[in-house]
Amino acid sequence: MAAVPDQMTAIDMENPGGPEVLQAVVRPVPQPDPGEVLVKVAAAGVNRPDIVQRKGFYPPPPGAPSIPGLEIAGQIVALGEGVEDAVLGQSVCALVSGGGYAEYCAAPIVQCLGVPEALSMQEAAALPETLFTVWHNLFERAYAREGETVLVHGGTSGIGSMAIMLGKLFDLTVIVTCGSDEKCAAAQEIGATHAINYKSQDFVEEVKRLTDGAGVEIVIDMVAGDYVARNLQCLKEDGRHVTIAVQGGLEATINMAQVMSRRLMLTGSTLRARSVEFKGLLAEEIERNAWSFVEQGKLRPVMDQSFPLIDAAAAHARMEAGAHIGKIILEI
């Protein structure tokens, strides 16, 4: 195995701002801490939290690098204390707290999953952030069960497309909202049971129509703000509402009497700042319950476009333009 250099190319920024603040820089290659591995990165996923971090509203958690990037795929080239020698040289994808936009990235070994032959490195890099997020929120926080119906906003985003595919694999009916007829058609090609154009249709009324007035058991919400009250109108009694992003605003006004009388549950989560122990347990659960679908080629990310690492600004601009369908990737 080739020697690991002392320095690497990475993407970082001096100040918050638009995509243009993302610049190629030279940084020391990170040293893996105990329980970590050093990955020579082949590809890194671009995600909405990277955009928010770039704008200055989502600082890295304590101890995480300033370099953006929450998911990577590549080859393990060095080991931290306590990691078994057998993993050296293995191809893995990993959920990380930062540092993915770089030639090398350190990752806790418990947050790594082996890359099966069914996936390219680019596809593998597109999996961890969305798969960990959707699995945790749909199945652990919303307690999704076979035969239930879930409403997912942002149906052609990385999160939305993953929710569609996991829902289909676990016998859920998935209704999504999208911003155009073209995106609605794409969501249905991915596997959504129904897709609602929220710009031309009232999604509350459409959900009622599609469910014969019954509503859905679960809402996975990336919008928050004034969507929350409307989402609650879509829920059945004992329905579960899970907030995973606040793109539409930090605050919501809701009728708490409705929450009580209909026994609704409101919850939410962020994953980045959770402990390595928690993420490791989540990785184990995904490996037991969903990774076989990846290995069989039944679960693979919807891919939008790949950019060279040095064109990270263009990748961010594409995501912010909102025209993408599926995952945007940086290739190293």
Side-chain angles (χ1 to χ4, degrees), residues 19-94:
E20 70 281 355
V21 302
L22 296 174
Q23 299 292 327
V25 297
V26 176
R27 292 281 187 267
V29 171
Q31 299 298 308
D33 288 331
E36 292 186 339
V37 295
L38 181 66
V39 178
K40 188 177 190 299
V41 181
V46 177
N47 294 285
R48 187 66 59 176
D50 303 342
I51 306 285
V52 183
Q53 177 178 331
R54 192 203 72 223
K55 292 179 177 180
F57 301 119
Y58 192 29
S66 62
I67 298 166
L70 302 178
E71 58 185 350
I72 58 170
Q75 184 184 37
I76 296 175
V77 294
L79 311 177
E81 183 182 343
V83 179
E84 295 182 1
D85 292 344
V87 303
L88 193 64
Q90 287 187 3
S91 295
V92 296
C93 58

Side-chain angles (χ1 to χ4, degrees), residues 133-147:
T133 298
V134 174
W135 185 271
H136 175 55
N137 288 286
L138 184 58
F139 294 104
E140 294 184 343
R141 303 202 71 81
Y143 313 112
R145 296 183 290 270
E146 181 180 334

